[in-house]
Amino acid sequence: MRAIKLNGFGGPEVMEWGEAADPVPGHGEVLIEVAAAGVNRADLLQRQGFYPPPPGASEVMGLECSGVIAEVGDGVREWQVGDRVCALLSGGGYAEKVVVAATQVLAVPDGLDLAAAAALPEAAATVWSNLAMTAGLHAGQLVLIHGGGSGIGTHAIQVAVSQGARVAVTAGSTEKLKQCRELGASVLINYREDDFVAAIRAEESGAGGPGADIILDIMGAAYLARNVEALAQHGHLVVIGMQGGVAAELNLGALLGKWGTIHANNVRNRPTTGANSKATIIAELNRHVWPLIADGTVVPVVHAELPITEAAEAHRLLDSAETFGKVVLNVRDV
């Protein structure tokens, strides 16, 4: 098969489309002929040498894909050759074929094309596992989503609104905030111009006090102290990214005074099965999120589709300020 390989670590130019060994499904796994792969910030970090795949995972980038099942391994009963699917991966999506545990595969809803489906697994798994499974998302809460125009952000807005929450977002332009409002966000904060702490403290949480019940954060260190300020009593701060650095001072007194909780999670390094595993998240998505996608309540937001041979441009685009939603690489028609 062909795949994107890295010629060292560095800028987008280190990626090459070339020959790679064909993967073979083992027990409990399926082989997918890849139609499209979603591009994620984790891919940019891996390309730069900062985010290696977990032990045993493919060295090829790509944390999600869509396509058609071409082969099933021993012990797989729930999938058949020819099924249209998308999948949550630990790596390997930037390729013509990928092997993945059958428990990390999701059916593509009728009417959804494969390119759009490739934009779903990583965002859906990240959002539901953090907002619902970790922070206890429920109706009436105020949820602050940093980076509302990102792939994670655009999905999180829709999911939170679908659960009856009120959504606040930060974004860097009036146009992005307008698009976030169209997805359901009601509190719009331009982080270049406004103090998000003051804006959120002026809002009422689900319990009636000021602040956000849940904050979904991609910035890490740069926002830590201000996020704690913005939390409501008994609020949950969920850190899923470190775009603003990895080390910061935490005022424990401020956190204790709010009975607050800080979580730091990722999906890629979770175990395949067992407690808090990828399999558990996928089962939750099937139960709670996939019906919302099937009926159009939650839709994938795709900014651009590019051929896999233009992966370098896709990385540049994702790293720019202009992108709203996901960037998808089309691998081939299947």
Side-chain angles (χ1 to χ4, degrees):
M1 70 169 186
R2 291 173 296 176
I4 292 288
K5 299 188 289 185
L6 296 179
N7 181 23
F9 297 120
E13 69 279 356
V14 303
M15 293 187 288
E16 298 178 347
W17 181 239
E19 296 293 322
D22 286 333
V24 178
H27 182 81
E29 295 179 329
V30 299
L31 174 69
I32 299 173
E33 288 189 352
V34 177
V39 180
N40 292 278
R41 190 159 292 275
D43 304 336
L44 278 62
L45 293 173
Q46 182 173 338
R47 187 201 74 221
Q48 295 167 24
F50 300 136
Y51 193 23
S58 171
E59 295 288 333
V60 175
M61 289 177 294
L63 301 183
E64 59 189 344
C65 75
S66 65
V68 173
I69 291 181
E71 189 177 343
V72 296
D74 294 339
V76 176
R77 300 288 180 264
E78 64 269 43
W79 300 108
Q80 298 181 7
V81 172
D83 286 344
R84 295 171 74 249
V85 298
C86 55
L88 178 69
L89 311 171
S90 296
Y94 289 19
E96 291 180 321
K97 300 176 184 178
V98 68
V99 161
V100 62
T103 52
Q104 292 170 217
V105 176
L106 292 150
V108 174
D110 291 341
L112 189 66
D113 68 61
L114 288 173
L120 286 171
E122 177 68 16
T126 299
V127 167
W128 190 259
S129 65
N130 285 289
L131 289 187
M133 297 170 68
T134 296
L137 173 68
H138 60 262
Q141 291 181 312
L142 175 61
V143 179
L144 170 59
I145 299 165
H146 287 301
S150 66
I152 295 292
T154 54
H155 185 82
I157 292 168
Q158 297 176 80
V159 168
V161 170
S162 78
Q163 302 305 300
R166 192 160 53 99
V167 174
V169 296
T170 61
S173 71
T174 300
E175 179 58 29
K176 284 191 175 183
L177 290 173
K178 177 184 175 183
Q179 291 172 292
C180 289
R181 182 175 60 214
E182 291 169 354
L183 291 174
S186 56
V187 180
L188 310 172
I189 306 166
N190 188 327
Y191 66 79
R192 300 183 191 278
E193 301 174 356
D194 304 317
D195 177 3
F196 78 79
V197 176
I200 291 300
R201 296 294 293 172
E203 298 291 328
E204 195 173 274
S205 71
D213 299 291
I214 302 173
I215 300 176
L216 188 65
D217 178 57
I218 60 173
M219 294 302 295
Y223 276 16
L224 179 61
R226 294 160 69 199
N227 278 331
V228 171
E229 284 186 70
L231 277 179
Q233 291 288 314
H234 302 281
H236 293 261
L237 167 60
V238 189
V239 181
I240 60 169
M242 297 176 291
Q243 294 180 37
V246 299
E249 186 173 294
L250 172 63
N251 183 337
L252 287 173
L255 189 64
L256 283 167
K258 294 186 176 184
W259 296 62
T261 305
I262 299 176
H263 313 266
N265 294 324
N266 71 31
V267 173
R268 188 181 198 182
N269 290 305
R270 290 176 185 250
T272 302
T273 59
N276 300 311
S277 65
K278 297 184 183 80
T280 300
I281 296 171
I282 294 300
E284 284 280 299
L285 292 182
N286 258 319
R287 187 176 303 115
H288 298 289
V289 179
W290 243 237
L292 301 174
I293 294 169
D295 69 14
T297 299
V298 175
V299 298
V301 178
V302 178
H303 178 87
E305 297 178 28
L306 290 83
I308 188 69
T309 52
E310 295 180 19
E313 180 58 28
H315 277 216
R316 293 187 186 99
L317 186 59
L318 187 68
D319 206 26
S320 73
E322 64 187 271
T323 305
F324 186 83
K326 299 280 290 192
V327 176
V328 171
L329 292 169
N330 287 316
V331 178
R332 61 178 167 184
D333 293 328
V334 293

